[in-house]
Amino acid sequence: MRTKFGGTAMVLVLCFLSLLLLSPVALSEKCNPQDKKVLLRIKKELNNPYLLASWDPHTDCCDWYCVECDIKSHRITALIMQSSVPDTNLSGSIPPSVGDLPYLENLEFHKLPRLTGPIQPTIAKLTKLKYLFIEYTNVSGPIPPFLAQLKNLQLLHLSTNNLSGPIPSSLSQLPNLESIHLDRNKLTGPIPESFGSFKKPGPDIILSHNQLSGPIPASLGQIDPERIDLSRNKLEGDASVLFGSKKRTQILDLSRNLLSFDFSKVDFPKQSLIWLDVNHNKIYGKIPAALTKVENLQQFNVSYNRLCGEIPQGGTGRLQDRFDEYAYLHNKCLCGSPLSKCK
């Protein structure tokens, strides 16, 4: 009997162990328990959306959609929420609990039209954050000055929302910023003078499709970003500080503003510049002959300004045959190919 009972007991033990091994609960969970609690709070604060259906409390949160774990510490380092489904039931404000993920380096909310409310103050606690993307949402209110506390921030992209009010001057205190995108909002007021004090060469600055006004700060001439887009605002005055033969500018878009300066007195990066658009302004003078030496110009538009004189000929830029008449139309007295002959 002892032998029979012993054999039966051994079989039962083996069966029990097999069931444990097959159970998800028994599997070794890598996710940090505190991070998991925070993520489940975030799911609740967003009304349990379908986007987060994989966030099952009985499974390892390092395997959930929309999150990434560090391979060594297993702490949550990325929270990336984006949806291609317009009628997603994700709704409400940015969850305050996101500030309780202390190892977060990447925070993204993308294409979430029912995400509303302000940028949460708790985000200021994310001292390791490198990438902050809030794009194509209905997040509203001001751009908060507390974002300047995120000293490790490299990319700040807040495009296509309902943000309003002035641009905080404190953003220039971000020492590692490589790119700032604030386009397609309802921002007002001037470009901060402090933006000229960004650590050189300075971040790419994209501020288009807002209601910014006033002059372009002269201090912007002190930095040298590869891309500046200030188009479709109400900026006025002199923009010549943004030009220069020694700059590394690739894209410069100043179109559809109220800018007024002598175009003939500016110089251009001869090798880096590929995009120059200044249409719909009040720019006067002649088109500089220096533009004929810009080697890689692919997009060029000076239409709807007050330019005069003959379009420069020759050079590697080939302004006359590379760009059609629509690049030059509606100026005061421009002439020469591809426009009509000069008299």
Side-chain angles (χ1 to χ4, degrees), residues 4 40 84 91 96 127 134 189 196 202 207 212 222 230 248 252 256 298 307 309:
K4 184 178 179 182
L40 291 172
S84 57
S91 61
T127 57
I134 304 173
L207 306 178
L212 300 174
Q222 300 171 19
L230 309 180
R248 61 176 196 148
L252 182 56
R256 295 181 180 272
Q298 299 172 18
L307 298 171

Side-chain angles (χ1 to χ4, degrees), residues 156-286:
L156 176 60
H157 290 193
L158 306 177
S159 304
T160 317
N161 298 293
N162 280 317
L163 298 170
S164 58
I167 300 172
S169 60
S170 59
L171 295 181
S172 63
Q173 299 170 16
L174 293 168
N176 297 300
L177 200 63
E178 298 173 2
S179 176
I180 178 169
H181 290 200
L182 308 179
D183 53 298
R184 297 178 186 275
N185 282 288
K186 300 175 181 177
L187 302 176
T188 55
I191 299 172
E193 184 77 29
S194 63
F195 271 29
S197 61
F198 274 115
K199 186 178 178 181
K200 291 182 180 180
D204 289 346
I205 299 175
I206 313 299
L207 306 178
S208 65
H209 295 79
N210 279 291
Q211 300 168 29
L212 300 174
S213 58
I216 293 175
S219 63
L220 285 189
Q222 300 171 19
I223 59 174
D224 188 17
E226 291 183 346
R227 183 178 178 190
I228 299 178
D229 187 350
L230 309 180
S231 63
R232 293 179 182 268
N233 280 289
K234 300 175 182 178
L235 300 168
E236 57 190 29
D238 190 356
S240 60
V241 295
L242 303 178
F243 296 85
S245 60
K246 296 182 179 180
K247 296 213 173 222
R248 61 176 196 148
T249 311
Q250 295 181 5
I251 295 176
L252 182 56
D253 193 341
L254 306 175
S255 61
R256 295 181 180 272
N257 278 288
L258 304 169
L259 300 169
S260 178
F261 59 96
D262 189 344
F263 201 49
S264 63
K265 293 184 178 180
V266 299
D267 207 348
F268 308 90
K270 295 178 176 60
Q271 296 182 336
S272 62
L273 191 64
I274 59 175
W275 184 295
L276 177 60
D277 194 343
V278 296
N279 79 79
H280 284 82
N281 279 287
K282 301 177 181 179
I283 300 169
Y284 56 90
K286 296 181 178 181

Side-chain angles (χ1 to χ4, degrees), residues 3-140:
T3 304
K4 184 178 179 182
F5 178 78
T8 303
M10 182 63 70
V11 170
L12 290 172
V13 169
L14 290 172
C15 289
F16 180 70
L17 288 174
S18 297
L19 288 172
L20 282 178
L21 290 172
L22 292 172
S23 171
V25 178
L27 293 173
S28 177
E29 184 165 339
K30 295 178 290 185
C31 179
N32 178 273
Q34 183 58 35
D35 286 354
K36 187 172 186 177
K37 288 180 182 179
V38 172
L39 289 174
L40 291 172
R41 278 207 312 270
I42 289 172
K43 181 180 180 180
K44 185 177 181 181
E45 289 168 356
L46 290 171
N47 300 307
N48 301 306
Y50 177 74
L51 181 66
L52 306 181
S54 68
W55 292 21
D56 182 342
H58 300 294
T59 60
D60 188 345
C61 73
C62 285
D63 297 328
W64 292 354
Y65 293 141
C66 305
V67 299
E68 294 177 8
C69 285
D70 181 80
I71 58 174
K72 292 183 179 179
S73 68
H74 307 302
R75 301 303 298 259
I76 299 296
T77 57
L79 178 59
I80 303 171
M81 295 190 184
Q82 54 184 340
S83 177
S84 57
V85 183
D87 59 347
T88 176
N89 64 335
L90 189 153
S91 61
S93 299
I94 295 173
S97 296
V98 298
D100 296 324
L101 295 170
Y103 289 83
L104 209 61
E105 296 180 2
N106 186 7
L107 177 60
E108 297 187 29
F109 298 96
H110 188 72
K111 288 188 177 179
L112 301 172
R114 297 179 67 183
L115 191 68
T116 57
I119 298 176
Q120 290 289 351
T122 56
I123 290 177
K125 297 193 294 182
L126 301 174
T127 57
K128 295 182 183 294
L129 201 65
K130 296 179 181 178
Y131 314 112
L132 178 58
F133 293 80
I134 304 173
E135 299 181 304
Y136 295 91
T137 76
N138 274 301
V139 167
S140 59

